[in-house]
Amino acid sequence: MILKNDLILRAAKGEDIERYPVWLMRQAGRILPEYREVRASLSGFKELVETPERAAEVTIQPVDLLGVDAAIIFSDILVVPEAMGLPYQMIESKGPWFENTVRTELDLKKVEFDFDVEDRLAYVLDAIKITNKELNGRVPLIGFAGAPWTILCYMVEGHGSKTFSESRKLLYTNPTLAHELLSRITKVTIQYLKAQIKAGAHMVQLFDSWAGILGTEQYAEFGLKYLEEIASAITEVPVTLFSKGAITSVEALAKLDCNTVGLDWNMDLVKIREQVGESRTLQGNLDPCALYSSHEEVQNLTNKLLDSFSSKRHIVNLGHGVYPDVDPEKVKTFVNTVKNYKIK
Ligand code: CP3
């Protein structure tokens, strides 16, 4: 299918663009009343994720309602640990909850990694196919997965945490077990991303949401090593690596075999551009809280961000997912400001 708008793919590959592409992490979700309506008609978040027609519907909503330059498939990074034998529940206003965790060799024995990914995660692949059919080439579709370190965090901890101290503890008490688990997650993730690409994902992003809780050396050993394995295995489409909070590792991250590096709002975009030159596309990085300011201020802050770019190799986004109570009208102001900006 021919894409009518392929700006984001050209920006990722470092090709010429007539304006910067823009999308938001978590754009398909609670900021939109239309999303909340679909979700309320089902038993909850998981049913939405597992029902391809409805997942496709909410994937397309931000394209229609916000005018973004890409869709991201509506799913969750936690479908991977579930496929590996650790089912989770999404508890309202609490977040994910896993019945079983992986903290010992015996636990690891029960973790599956040799299974048919296309079969077990068929609902995601079906959602991708339906989405592309309904998008009819309007914008590219982004596939995604959690990075191995972040997935390990949930498998070991069993739920969200500010410190993930059980997960970090394992790196000291049983690094061999941690590496074995990370290797297994990596193997499944490569198959999963390749399956998403085969189903129609035009680019893929890895979310390492908990990168920032590790020190530089530990992140190199338990984080970057596995991201490198995945990034070099994915040769079919552009790859984005987003390691939230990994301030001291961005330079090393940018050296991995990827097209785009996602930046959170604490990262110094100008300095990182100096470090990477024109070799990588940068994605980000307006503070998600900037969208709580007035429309005029959202415009000013967005223009200021764009004025700081010294290269065309940018994909505009927030520095993390959009917060659920942000006014969608403010998101539109952000999106429209980017779309009206003339590259100097
Ligand atoms: O629009 C999109 O970005 C696509 C959909 C998407 C979701 N989760 C839907 C979702 C994506 C890309 C994710 C990734 C994800 N999931 C990450 C990495 C990105 C990040 O935020 O750092 C992580 C860590 C998760 C795990 C997860 N999923 C948590 C911790 C929670 C609960 C916290 C919360 O925001 O409520 C979720 C739930 C979740 N995933 C929701 C959505 C829309 C909210 C569920 C709801 O509708 O009630």
Side-chain angles (χ1 to χ4, degrees):
M1 180 172 317
I2 294 166
L3 288 166
K4 295 173 192 89
N5 172 353
D6 66 345
L7 265 181
I8 193 169
L9 299 179
R10 278 187 275 139
K13 293 185 226 163
E15 295 171 7
D16 197 35
I17 47 166
E18 50 286 2
R19 64 168 177 82
Y20 295 117
V22 57
W23 69 284
L24 292 89
M25 292 182 271
R26 291 283 177 101
Q27 63 188 17
R30 288 165 296 184
I31 51 159
L32 296 173
E34 293 82 354
Y35 165 84
R36 294 198 298 267
E37 208 176 292
V38 173
R39 193 173 160 296
S41 73
L42 302 166
S43 64
F45 172 75
K46 281 196 81 180
E47 190 184 351
L48 180 49
V49 164
E50 289 162 12
T51 311
E53 293 76 17
R54 306 315 298 274
E57 184 183 348
V58 297
T59 299
I60 298 169
Q61 283 176 349
V63 178
D64 291 333
L65 301 165
L66 306 171
V68 287
D69 291 309
I72 177 161
I73 191 64
F74 188 83
S75 186
D76 202 89
I77 62 168
L78 303 177
V79 301
V80 166
E82 182 161 76
M84 294 175 76
L86 270 84
Y88 71 97
Q89 289 175 58
M90 192 60 77
I91 300 170
E92 190 72 47
S93 71
K94 266 205 162 152
W97 195 267
F98 290 85
E99 214 167 288
N100 303 309
T101 55
V102 185
R103 296 182 185 177
T104 65
E105 269 88 10
L106 192 67
D107 296 334
L108 184 70
K109 279 211 176 81
K110 295 183 210 146
V111 174
E112 296 174 60
F113 61 102
D114 206 8
F115 56 89
D116 185 345
V117 173
E118 290 195 32
D119 177 59
R120 211 168 279 187
L121 289 165
Y123 58 89
V124 181
L125 308 177
D126 289 342
I128 289 175
K129 289 176 201 157
I130 298 170
T131 302
N132 271 334
K133 210 163 145 203
E134 292 178 1
L135 275 175
N136 196 23
R138 274 189 292 160
V139 290
L141 178 59
I142 305 170
F144 71 90
W149 162 247
T150 290
I151 297 300
L152 175 144
C153 280
Y154 286 102
M155 291 176 97
V156 171
E157 209 82 24
H159 47 79
S161 159
K162 280 205 175 80
T163 56
F164 282 94
S165 49
E166 279 299 331
S167 313
R168 281 159 53 223
K169 180 169 129 190
L170 187 71
L171 308 187
Y172 292 95
T173 56
N174 198 343
T176 310
L177 181 68
H179 276 303
E180 186 53 38
L181 180 56
L182 288 163
S183 299
R184 293 185 186 193
I185 298 167
T186 300
K187 186 171 182 276
V188 173
T189 303
I190 291 170
Q191 290 176 47
Y192 180 45
L193 290 173
K194 284 188 181 277
Q196 290 186 42
I197 295 162
K198 196 172 128 200
H202 299 98
M203 59 194 295
V204 293
Q205 173 158 327
L206 282 144
F207 287 90
D208 213 351
S209 306
W210 303 112
I213 62 175
L214 294 184
T216 314
E217 272 178 39
Q218 272 192 333
Y219 191 57
E221 182 182 347
F222 297 98
L224 294 178
K225 178 177 188 281
Y226 297 97
L227 279 176
E228 167 70 344
E229 217 177 293
I230 298 171
S232 12
I234 305 297
T235 50
E236 302 87 341
V237 298
V239 175
T240 303
L241 302 177
F242 176 54
S243 295
K244 188 177 174 293
I247 312 262
T248 58
S249 301
V250 200
E251 208 175 344
L253 183 71
K255 290 206 174 91
L256 307 188
D257 192 7
C258 64
N259 300 78
T260 304
V261 178
L263 307 182
D264 73 37
W265 70 97
N266 283 311
M267 292 173 173
D268 186 337
L269 195 139
V270 173
K271 205 173 106 199
I272 295 165
R273 173 59 72 200
E274 278 168 20
Q275 289 167 354
V276 305
E278 290 283 321
S279 69
R280 295 288 182 269
T281 301
L282 299 179
Q283 175 172 277
N285 73 341
L286 190 73
D287 181 352
C289 280
L291 299 186
Y292 292 116
S293 48
S294 67
H295 284 281
E296 198 192 347
E297 193 56 13
V298 170
Q299 258 182 3
N300 292 341
L301 292 165
T302 307
N303 281 320
K304 193 175 151 206
L305 171 71
L306 301 182
D307 282 341
S308 78
F309 295 175
S310 58
S311 161
K312 279 192 179 181
R313 289 202 74 168
H314 280 278
I315 296 168
V316 183
N317 205 312
L318 302 178
H320 198 199
V322 61
Y323 298 140
D325 62 342
V326 160
D327 177 358
E329 292 303 318
K330 298 282 172 61
V331 176
K332 279 193 217 168
T333 299
F334 168 63
V335 169
N336 289 331
T337 307
V338 179
K339 289 168 97 174
N340 292 326
Y341 186 87
K342 301 260 175 306
I343 297 183
K344 293 174 182 110

